[in-house]
Every structure is written in structure tokens, then in C-alpha cells.
Amino acid sequence: MQNSLETIHIYHTNDVHSHFDSWPQISRFLRSAREKHEAENEAYYLFDIGDHVDRSHPFTEGTIGKGNIALLNHAGYDAVTIGNNEGITMSKKALTNLYEGADFDVILCNLKETDGSTPKWLEPYHIYETEKGIRIGVIGATAMYSEFYRRLGWQIDEPRQSVRKIVHQIQDETDVIICLSHLGVYEDRLLAEECEQIDIILGAHTHHLFMEGELVNETLLAATGKFAEYVGHITISLDESKCVIGKKAEVIHVNKMERRQEDIKDVNALINAGNEAMEEKVFYNAEPLKQQLLKASSLSSFFGRAMIEYTDADCAMFNAGIFLSSLEKGWVTKRKLHSMLPHPINPCVITLDGSEVLEIYNLAQNADWPKMEIKGLGFRGTLMGKMIFERLYKNNEGELFAGNRQVVSGETYKLATLDMFTFGFFFPSLQQAEKEYYMPELIRDLVSWYGKQKASDKLSMTDHQNES
């Protein structure tokens, strides 16, 4: 067996999604691992593969993601790439400022300014060198949500092509090449087949878990699932000629990490910090608006009107399961809006022919949907709930109307809805339909805007009556 010149230890996380319940254990474990390997003169690197940020958590929302960066700093990360939660649920300004205080590198090769230049806060790749002279080229790539990035003022390039281009550029300058890939397992496998020069692909996005990695040709794929349940550990061995002679992947479950009494206190402190940061009053709600999961409600009517007025659509469609609480009478704070609508979901307006509107309306009557569990798509609730229509209804003769217009084939109508319904899972025809996404507005921002509008209108009316 060949003698190993050096063994390199790579630790990695992915798709944490601001699940901080086990973060104190993970952070302590990672810091201890670094101390151990450095004491033994072994190279150690720590990477996050994106979607560490999730705006559904009050700590993330309250700190505009800066709290996540502080946690990554404390754990000692060397580099991260971004996922779609960093990339398309934050405004361009918020993403540009997100990593200002980072003690680590942000590596991403397929996100550009609209003029094609590289944003100042990231680098397409980085070459690290160990004390024994091993050069490790690290490339980052994220999933290509073209329309979303375009609406936010970014240019997103095809990721596998972008990675291959960088690999060919740096392969003669490196001994090991690692890709931080927030592309999903299917794309990772394709990339491994297309680009054999990559030694390791650390994966994310599709929340897949490889207990001992997966080999595609000579490329080792590794991933840790989701929600900070596991930490990944890769060992790479190289011989005297700096050739890779061994690669091994494992994952460590958080249950095997040291727990301390103060861990729960630390997690609660994060939640409290986020909540305190969101105590700002947004608008005064004059009457209680109750949520209902299985039927229309005063809250759904309020939300439907907010969508129509904000987007100037003819009608609106959404599911009652998006409301995780009611809206009580009194002052509404950012914290209350966030707890009621924590989803990183954008509003969207779809232009449809009358026949398509009728098809969508009929599909939405599916009796199984209200109690269906939903996972992903930006939805942070549990059950779908009843499909709600605002200003889309049938009269006594069974004719469908959008506002005051009868829905007929050959005429077009604008439907305001949630971006998650444009991905094709519930309404296949909406995936290809003409649509306009509203970004960076999340659906709770529409409630905030509409609540302020109503309060302002009421104040103006009172002033007018007083003047009279």
C-alpha cells in the first residue's frame, strides 16, 4: 500500500434551513474537531453548501440573515456557497450585505451582476493550500432559478457548464478539486459523469442523505440530508506525488454529539433575539380576522383583497393553509405577521385564457387537497387547507365570473396567486403560463402594505368627516 503524504479532513453541512435546535451541539463538535486535527497536524476544512438561511425562523428574519453568519463565524467555517433561500428569498441589497461580517469565503461561480461581472462579495473559486503544500481547489454553484434571479437584478448562469469551465481553468494549479453544489442529487450525478477531474461533490438542495457517500466514476458524492440532523466528514489521502489515493465519506448524527444544559437556553436566546427585533408596529387592525383551514374566512378575504389591490389582478387564488394563526384586533407587529405567514413565498400574477381559468377553478375543487400535507415549495405550514378564491365565483346559473367579467374562452384574465402554484405540482398548466413574479416581496409584505393602506384610508376619512 502506498504511503500517504497527507490526510485532509473535510467537514460539511447543508440545508440547515435555520433549524437551530441542535446548532449548539454541532458548533461545539466542529470547533472540537478542528482543535483535534490541528493538534495532530492534519489539515481541516469546513464548508456549508447553502440554505443555511431560512426566513421562516424569527432569528433569521429579525437579523436579516446576519445572525446566521455570526453562527457560521463562531463555528469556524472556511467557506460557503449559497442556496436558493439565500439567493431568491432575499432582496438584492440584503444578499449583497449578508456576508459583510463573514470570516469565511463565499464561493459561487454562476451568479453574476446583470453586466456579467462577478459580485464583490463572492469569488467563483478559491484555492486553499495545506501546510504540506497540497492545493485544494474549491468551486461553488447554485441552482438556476433564472426568472427569480432576473427579477431580483441578478444574472444566473447554467451551473454545470460554469463549474466545468472553472475546473478546466484550475486543474493544473490544484491537486484536489471539490465542488460545493447546491444543485441537487440528479445534477450532481450528471456533473460527476461530465467532469471526472472533480474529486468530491458536496451536495445539497434536494435534501438527500448519503451515509457513506456515493461514487460516480471516481467522483465521491456526499450530502447530509436536511435541518442540521447530520454533519458530514470526508477524509482524502494523497501520496508523495500529491495524487489522491483514498476518499472516504461518513455522517455523524447530532445525537452522538455532546449535549449541555445550556444548549436549550442558547437556542431560546436566538428565538428571543429575533422576536425582539421584530416588535416594530406595522398597522392597526380594527377588527379580529379569524383563520379557518377548511373554509373561507375573514382573514382569507382580507388577504385575497390585499393580493388583488397590490397586483391589480382580476381575481386571486391561494390555500387557507398558509395562515398559521389569526390576526387579532389591535396593533400588528412584524413579529405577528411573520408568525402568521412565515413562508418565503412570493406573489405572482398569471395571465390566462378563460378556458384555462375554468380548468384551474375545477382542479382546485379536489376534495383530497384540503387535508393534504405539503412539504417544500417554500410552504412552511403543514396542511394545504381549502383552496380559496377571491373575486372568482360562480353565479346562480353556474357561470364563472372573475370580478364583474364572465369567464369565457378567448378572453384573458389576470390571476394573482402564490409562486408555489407555478411549479407544476398542483396545476401543471401554470408552469408554462405567462407570469410575473413580484420580488423581493413575500406574501406577508402584501398584508403589511394592505393593512397600512386601510389604516391610512380610515384616517383620511376621519379627517374629512372632522373637517365637514
Side-chain angles (χ1 to χ4, degrees):
M1 183 176 177
Q2 291 174 287
N3 290 327
S4 172
L5 167 68
E6 183 165 21
T7 298
I8 299 167
H9 296 269
I10 307 291
Y11 288 79
H12 58 105
T13 54
N14 62 268
D15 296 292
V16 171
H17 283 279
S18 295
H19 280 247
F20 299 130
D21 288 352
S22 57
W23 191 257
Q25 296 97 277
I26 288 174
S27 182
R28 186 165 49 246
F29 169 81
L30 292 171
R31 295 194 307 274
S32 297
R34 183 182 289 276
E35 290 174 4
K36 172 181 176 293
H37 293 304
E38 288 181 351
E40 296 172 357
N41 293 317
E42 295 177 325
Y44 168 105
Y45 296 95
L46 172 58
F47 305 123
D48 184 78
I49 324 300
D51 277 4
H52 191 281
V53 164
D54 193 311
R55 292 183 60 183
S56 64
H57 195 285
F59 180 62
T60 298
E61 181 74 353
T63 63
I64 322 174
K66 293 283 191 178
N68 293 69
I69 306 311
L71 295 178
L72 291 167
N73 282 342
H74 186 242
Y77 278 75
D78 293 288
V80 307
T81 196
I82 75 165
N84 44 290
N85 273 268
E86 289 89 2
I88 62 175
T89 73
M90 305 185 79
S91 69
K92 184 172 186 178
K93 180 180 179 181
L95 180 57
T96 299
N97 295 335
L98 178 62
Y99 299 101
E100 278 180 341
D103 297 332
F104 48 82
D105 301 311
V106 183
I107 303 176
L108 183 61
C109 72
N110 65 318
L111 184 70
K112 305 287 177 59
E113 299 285 359
T114 52
D115 63 3
S117 63
T118 299
K120 294 178 181 178
W121 51 273
L122 60 78
E123 52 188 328
Y125 67 92
H126 191 97
I127 298 177
Y128 298 91
E129 187 168 340
T130 71
E131 289 186 4
K132 295 182 180 179
I134 301 298
R135 301 163 303 173
I136 305 168
V138 179
I139 309 165
T142 197
M144 190 174 67
Y145 289 88
S146 302
E147 180 62 17
F148 289 89
Y149 278 108
R150 185 189 69 79
R151 293 284 302 180
L152 288 167
W154 298 112
Q155 174 186 314
I156 188 80
D157 297 336
E158 201 287 317
R160 298 202 320 273
Q161 180 181 339
S162 300
V163 171
R164 294 197 305 270
K165 181 179 177 181
I166 298 294
V167 167
H168 293 310
Q169 181 180 336
I170 69 172
Q171 60 183 335
D172 295 333
E173 306 169 30
T174 56
D175 305 303
V176 177
I177 295 179
I178 297 173
C179 181
L180 313 182
S181 166
H182 198 91
L183 304 180
V185 64
Y186 176 73
E187 292 288 304
D188 288 351
R189 288 168 177 153
L190 287 177
L191 180 60
E193 291 173 356
E194 296 169 349
C195 197
E196 61 185 15
Q197 297 94 332
I198 300 175
D199 296 285
I200 308 285
I201 296 177
L202 302 179
H205 189 46
T206 45
H207 298 179
H208 52 291
L209 171 66
F210 290 139
M211 300 300 291
E212 297 180 343
E214 176 181 285
L215 270 176
V216 177
N217 296 328
E218 295 302 313
T219 302
L220 179 62
L221 277 57
T224 67
K226 62 180 180 179
F227 303 163
E229 189 177 1
Y230 292 92
V231 167
H233 176 214
I234 306 262
T235 53
I236 310 170
S237 301
L238 296 95
D239 63 17
E240 297 288 343
S241 61
K242 299 184 179 180
C243 291
V244 175
I245 56 173
K247 293 178 284 191
K248 181 182 177 182
E250 64 173 343
V251 291
I252 302 97
H253 196 279
V254 292
N255 287 343
K256 295 184 178 180
M257 300 175 191
E258 179 193 3
R259 291 179 181 270
R260 295 179 183 174
Q261 270 191 323
E262 64 264 28
D263 290 347
I264 295 175
K265 181 180 176 182
D266 291 343
V267 171
N268 288 336
L270 299 181
I271 296 171
N272 291 337
N275 285 334
E276 288 174 11
M278 292 190 291
E279 286 301 334
E280 178 186 337
K281 293 176 180 177
V282 180
F283 65 89
Y284 187 84
N285 186 40
E287 57 183 355
L289 303 173
K290 298 295 183 183
Q291 69 170 146
Q292 295 282 355
L293 181 66
L294 300 178
K295 62 181 181 180
S297 65
S298 56
L299 181 58
S300 66
S301 180
F302 182 92
F303 180 75
R305 293 196 303 271
M307 290 194 80
I308 290 171
E309 288 207 22
Y310 192 86
T311 64
D312 199 29
D314 296 303
C315 51
M317 175 186 75
F318 50 92
N319 59 306
I322 61 173
F323 307 112
L324 303 195
S325 64
S326 300
L327 204 56
E328 303 302 330
K329 179 180 178 179
W331 280 104
V332 177
T333 62
K334 286 184 176 181
R335 174 184 176 182
K336 179 59 186 174
L337 285 177
H338 181 264
S339 64
M340 183 178 75
L341 291 168
H343 328 281
I345 291 175
N346 302 101
C348 177
V349 171
I350 309 175
T351 301
L352 298 168
D353 180 81
S355 59
E356 295 172 313
V357 175
L358 181 60
E359 176 193 349
I360 297 301
Y361 184 87
N362 289 334
L363 271 176
Q365 310 307 315
N366 190 319
D368 296 328
W369 282 4
K371 295 187 178 180
M372 178 191 298
E373 289 193 14
I374 310 178
K375 294 181 180 179
L377 306 178
F379 184 70
R380 298 295 183 258
T382 304
L383 299 178
M384 175 82 136
K386 178 179 174 60
M387 289 300 297
I388 304 292
F389 290 99
E390 185 72 20
R391 296 192 66 193
L392 187 66
Y393 59 93
K394 286 188 174 181
N395 64 10
N396 293 334
E397 286 73 43
E399 300 165 321
L400 188 63
F401 278 76
N404 297 322
R405 299 168 58 205
Q406 185 176 351
V407 176
V408 295
S409 179
E411 293 193 16
T412 58
Y413 306 83
K414 291 188 180 296
L415 173 70
T417 190
L418 314 179
D419 65 11
M420 73 177 194
F421 291 132
T422 69
F423 302 147
F425 294 98
F426 299 102
F427 304 100
S429 64
L430 296 187
Q431 194 169 15
Q432 303 302 323
E434 178 188 341
K435 59 184 76 74
E436 178 185 2
Y437 294 104
Y438 284 73
M439 304 184 75
E441 302 95 319
L442 300 181
I443 52 177
R444 59 180 171 267
D445 296 324
L446 269 63
V447 174
S448 173
W449 174 84
Y450 187 62
K452 290 176 182 177
Q453 292 291 113
K454 288 197 70 176
S456 176
D457 291 345
K458 187 164 292 188
L459 184 62
S460 297
M461 187 177 298
T462 302
D463 290 344
H464 178 72
Q465 289 170 345
N466 290 338
E467 288 173 3
S468 300

